Amino acid sequence: MKLQRFALALAGVGMLAATAASAPATAAVRSDPAPAIAHPAESNLKTTPNTKLASGGCLQDVGFNTPTPGINDVLITPAKPPRGEWYAPFKFVGTRLNTTWYGVQTDAHFYYHSLFVQGGTLYRGVTYFDTEYARPTYARIGSGWTSFTQLVTSNYAITSPNRSYLYGLSTNGSLYRYAASGATFRALGHFAGFKGFKAMTVVAENPYYDTLLMTTKAGALWTVRIPTAASTKPILKLVRSSGFAAYESLAARGCGDRGGSLVTGFDNETDSAYQYAMSKFNGSATAVTSYGRVTGGTIPGTGIFPITGHWNQLVGE
């Protein structure tokens, strides 16, 4: 597994729960000693703010939950077909939903932070990779998340004010937005009209808006720009009208210096992932290149999520 071991805390708002307790059911605190999570040089982890990926590197690190329960990842090299390199899984609690894992390197620690849902409860966790054993920690945030089928986070950490948003797609057909506030989240309202949508990931984050890439159950692909202004409605643009119905989850990573993205979709029925290269999003004018099914193994989980660095900002729209 080439992930760099995750750590759940909300980026950009000083909420790292290094001493988090209150672990969810069946919490595990050790991992297989085999290497896990991509090395910073391979996953383009940034230790200082930067809006571009390292030169010559457009690798995509994608994580997924495993039935053990645990966490694993696959490092995907774009090609036709894309080449996957799987790494050793490590023990983690059973999860229903996972958000982006953000990597942080300090003088004292290397860790990842993110959020996950177990049943109907939201947790924040931090997983340390200072030794050959992963050391996950967990902190309960609260219940009430049963109706959500998708959760994603945006993390703007380049300039002040930093911000971290959580977006949730509910079975009631609405898209909800929350802002990190201390050790919990503050509701910022919701947007109706998303009943037919299925999977989503973040492709742009800046001081003025976030952009989500979303699929519909019928297979269409849309961008959804959500201004940071509380009362402003989302702006939807159709990218493709069909071809994306099979995916239960999406993961995106910026690629190059022109706003391009690598997007991987996960098909739960076949335990497989498919990668696409997409230009800077501009509705139906967006260039979309299908690289096909990721080779080298299968994904025996229920969903995928991005793995990136705390300072890697998405600029896909």
Side-chain angles (χ1 to χ4, degrees):
M1 164 172 184
K2 257 203 170 181
L3 287 180
Q4 276 162 337
R5 304 222 149 170
F6 322 43
L8 294 180
L10 260 193
V13 292
M15 289 172 53
L16 176 60
T19 59
S22 184
T26 67
V29 295
R30 290 175 69 85
S31 74
D32 188 292
I37 301 189
H39 186 274
E42 296 166 316
S43 61
N44 298 310
L45 176 70
K46 294 291 182 289
T47 57
T48 56
N50 196 324
T51 58
K52 296 181 181 179
L53 294 182
S55 61
C58 274
L59 304 178
Q60 185 179 17
D61 201 2
V62 174
F64 57 94
N65 61 327
T66 68
T68 44
I71 293 292
N72 202 345
D73 72 318
V74 54
L75 193 66
I76 306 171
T77 300
K80 286 190 175 183
R83 301 185 301 273
E85 187 175 3
W86 271 254
Y87 293 84
F90 60 92
K91 292 181 180 179
F92 202 75
V93 297
T95 62
R96 185 172 65 83
L97 300 171
N98 295 276
T99 68
T100 298
W101 284 55
Y102 298 101
V104 178
Q105 177 77 66
T106 69
D107 291 340
H109 297 289
F110 174 58
Y111 61 85
Y112 276 83
H113 63 86
S114 178
L115 302 168
F116 66 90
V117 171
Q118 187 180 71
T121 303
L122 181 68
Y123 290 88
R124 179 175 59 252
V126 176
T127 302
Y128 295 90
F129 293 97
D130 299 329
T131 68
E132 64 179 354
Y133 294 102
R135 181 168 62 88
T137 65
Y138 315 95
R140 184 181 185 274
I141 294 175
S143 58
W145 300 85
T146 304
S147 70
F148 289 97
T149 60
Q150 297 277 306
L151 286 181
V152 297
T153 49
S154 69
N155 170 48
Y156 184 71
I158 296 297
T159 60
S160 296
N162 299 157
R163 61 170 178 79
S164 294
Y165 284 165
L166 172 64
Y167 296 92
L169 183 63
S170 174
T171 54
N172 67 11
S174 291
L175 181 66
Y176 290 78
R177 178 168 60 177
Y178 302 85
S181 178
T184 184
F185 290 88
R186 175 170 53 90
L188 297 180
H190 65 277
F191 309 102
F194 288 85
K195 187 69 174 180
F197 284 81
K198 183 179 180 182
M200 65 184 189
T201 190
V202 178
V203 294
E205 47 199 3
N206 62 50
Y208 312 106
Y209 61 85
D210 288 325
T211 299
L212 310 185
L213 184 67
M214 302 183 69
T215 66
T216 67
K217 297 173 184 177
L221 187 68
W222 293 79
T223 55
V224 181
R225 178 186 288 195
I226 307 174
T228 54
S231 60
T232 307
K233 294 182 178 180
I235 301 168
L236 279 70
K237 291 184 179 180
L238 180 65
V239 178
R240 293 292 186 272
S241 59
S242 62
F244 296 87
Y247 304 133
E248 278 74 34
S249 53
L250 301 174
R253 177 154 187 107
C255 182
D257 58 4
R258 298 183 179 181
S261 299
L262 293 174
V263 177
T264 295
F266 173 64
D267 182 353
N268 190 37
E269 293 185 0
T270 59
D271 289 341
S272 58
Y274 294 78
Q275 190 180 61
Y276 300 82
M278 302 188 184
S279 66
K280 197 174 185 77
F281 288 98
N282 183 26
S284 60
T286 305
V288 177
T289 301
S290 174
Y291 287 152
R293 182 171 179 167
V294 177
T295 61
T298 60
I299 297 177
T302 57
I304 61 173
F305 52 88
I307 298 169
T308 187
H310 178 86
W311 302 109
N312 289 93
Q313 301 297 285
L314 295 166
V315 294
E317 189 194 43

